[in-house]
């Protein structure tokens, strides 16, 4: 009887298990991933156009400015500093901005600090923050052309090492003396900033925009509702110009050309100040700087939920190959929203990298091109090359790549 009872009980248990495992119609749906809330924090940033130093040019020589500028920057004790027109300055600031690390790009897209390169760099408090992501946004369609001013925007996502608080610092120098090109660069900056805002970040965009407050080009930037000019919304503000050209003229009441645009909906701007760069009768540069202090609200960590970058849908093809030059095409994926640019490398049979550069995806432009064309030069005749394309994004880069082989022909 006992054995019979145990047999019946075993059968019932098996049936119960089968029913519970096989019938999924009554199972609770999967819970969406939990979004953690990042803490808020006070943030202070500084923008400074440094005036490139050229030894043979009297108006652009250092002439003691290197003794004034680092102390001026350090005196504000900010979380991060955006510097533009840094030709000849990077090595000085790397040494004298004690406690600050550096990220950013040279005009040719390199992270190296070439003495001759006018780049846009971001200095940040190294003991307080770590860079969890950074990148470059090209402001023209020909990034291979190195011009007098760096035609790109450097950006960094900074994370507080103790609390996990995050914010984005974007830093840029738009072209001067050409309103038409400036007008083309403004919407690229505006849309790129809006993209970070949509990803859930508090954003501070510093730089020399070379457009006067209230001008047509300035108003292009202001068309995006999610951003604002910190000067206009600060509790404590001032009305003063930022370009003085090494002159002691009074800039009170003049319009600035240097700004700090912010994602105003997630922060309260406490103070906006134009930084006087004439210290004890000595000019540190030809612009006044911009200082902003703000209180940022706590925010959902949307960055953790952003999709990983993928090579799916990206292809590369060879159009034409000559002994020293190859012309190729990158076909972009249907959805290239997150792809900011492509890193291209060309490696010969011996493992030597003969080309390494970035090509903008132009995903911030009104009409995103399906195909991107580029040229590889400096190749050798009768040589096989491996060409790799890595997508890069405002949310990171991937080690995955698309690869194609090409063989250069012999000389005729």
């Amino acid at each position: 009887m006992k054995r019979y009872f145990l047999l019946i009980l075993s059968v019932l248990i098996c049936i119960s298990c089968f029913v519970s495992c096989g019938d999924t119609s009554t199972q609770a749906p999967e819970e969406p991933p939990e979004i953690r809330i990042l803490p808020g924090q006070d943030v202070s940033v500084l923008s400074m156009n440094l005036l490139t130093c050229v030894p043979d040019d009297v108006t652009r020589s250092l002439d003691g400015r290197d003794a004034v500028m680092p102390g001026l920057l350090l005196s504000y004790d900010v979380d991060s500093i955006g510097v533009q027109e840094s030709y000849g300055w990077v090595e000085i600031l790397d040494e004298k901005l004690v406690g600050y690390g550096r990220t950013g790009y040279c005009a040719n897209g390199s992270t190296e600090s070439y003495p001759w390169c006018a780049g846009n760099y971001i200095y940040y408090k190294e003991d307080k923050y770590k860079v969890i992501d950074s990148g470059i946004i090209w402001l023209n369609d020909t990034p291979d052309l190195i011009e007098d001013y760096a035609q790109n925007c450097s950006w960094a996502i900074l994370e507080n090492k103790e609390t996990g608080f995050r914010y984005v610092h974007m830093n840029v120098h738009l072209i001067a003396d050409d309103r038409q090109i400036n007008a083309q660069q403004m919407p690229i900056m505006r849309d790129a900033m809006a993209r970070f805002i949509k990803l859930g970040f508090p954003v501070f965009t510093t730089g020399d925009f070379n457009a006067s407050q209230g001008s047509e080009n300035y108003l292009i930037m202001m068309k995006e509702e999610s951003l604002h000019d910190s000067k206009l919304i600060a509790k404590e503000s001032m009305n003063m110009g930022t370009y003085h050209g090494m002159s002691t003229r009074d800039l009170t009441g003049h319009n600035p050309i240097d700004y700090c645009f912010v994602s105003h909906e997630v922060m309260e701007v406490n103070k906006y100040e134009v930084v006087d760069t004439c210290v004890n009768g000595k000019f540190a540069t030809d612009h006044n700087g911009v200082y902003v202090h703000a209180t940022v609200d706590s925010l959902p960590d949307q960055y953790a939920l952003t999709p990983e970058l993928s090579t799916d849908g990206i292809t590369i093809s060879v159009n034409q190959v000559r002994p020293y030059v190859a012309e190729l095409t990158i076909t972009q994926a249907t959805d290239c929203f997150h792809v900011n640019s492509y890193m291209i490398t060309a490696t010969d049979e011996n493992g030597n990298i003969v080309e390494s550069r970035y090509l903008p995806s132009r995903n911030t432009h009104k009409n995103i091109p399906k195909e991107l064309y580029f040229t590889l030069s400096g190749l050798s005749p009768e040589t096989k090359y491996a060409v790799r394309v890595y997508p890069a994004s405002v949310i990171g880069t991937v080690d995955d790549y698309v690869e194609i082989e090409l063989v250069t022909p012999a000389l005729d």
Side-chain angles (χ1 to χ4, degrees), residues 116-157:
W116 49 264
C117 188
N120 297 312
Y121 297 97
I122 298 166
Y123 286 87
Y124 60 95
K125 282 188 174 179
E126 206 164 20
D127 61 339
K128 186 175 181 180
Y129 296 97
K130 62 180 178 181
V131 178
I132 62 168
D133 210 345
S134 63
I136 187 171
I137 298 169
W138 292 105
L139 301 180
N140 54 31
D141 295 334
T142 54
D144 294 335
L145 299 179
I146 303 172
E147 305 184 31
D148 291 339
Y149 302 107
Q151 297 304 295
N152 64 61
C153 168
S154 294
W155 59 267
I157 302 174

Side-chain angles (χ1 to χ4, degrees), residues 257-268:
I257 62 172
D258 301 82
Y259 303 96
C260 176
F261 292 100
V262 296
S263 51
H264 66 103
E265 294 175 349
V266 297
M267 69 176 72
E268 189 170 48

Side-chain angles (χ1 to χ4, degrees), residues 170-215:
M170 302 173 68
N171 185 52
V172 70
H173 190 170
L174 299 192
I175 198 164
D177 303 323
D178 194 320
R179 291 186 179 181
Q180 183 175 356
I181 295 179
N182 188 286
Q184 294 169 357
Q185 294 175 342
M186 279 287 186
I188 297 175
M189 278 303 304
R190 179 197 64 204
D191 296 346
M193 186 176 174
R195 197 161 280 202
F196 278 112
I197 295 173
K198 289 176 182 177
L199 287 172
F201 291 105
V203 184
F204 297 81
T205 300
T206 59
D208 175 5
F209 284 76
N210 275 306
S212 181
Q213 181 184 341
S215 66

Side-chain angles (χ1 to χ4, degrees), residues 204-276:
F204 297 81
T205 300
T206 59
D208 175 5
F209 284 76
N210 275 306
S212 181
Q213 181 184 341
S215 66
E216 291 184 9
N217 287 357
Y218 168 88
L219 293 176
I220 291 173
M221 195 75 180
M222 296 291 284
K223 285 182 179 179
E224 172 57 50
E225 293 182 357
S226 63
L227 63 87
H228 217 304
D229 182 351
S230 60
K231 171 188 174 181
L232 303 181
I233 59 174
K235 291 181 181 178
E236 181 183 344
S237 189
M238 60 191 302
N239 189 23
M240 183 176 289
T242 56
Y243 179 73
H244 55 71
M246 299 292 197
S247 167
T248 56
R249 63 193 176 98
D250 185 6
L251 295 178
T252 304
H254 288 237
N255 287 327
I257 62 172
D258 301 82
Y259 303 96
C260 176
F261 292 100
V262 296
S263 51
H264 66 103
E265 294 175 349
V266 297
M267 69 176 72
E268 189 170 48
V269 180
N270 303 313
K271 185 175 182 179
Y272 165 91
E273 178 185 341
V274 175
V275 178
D276 190 354

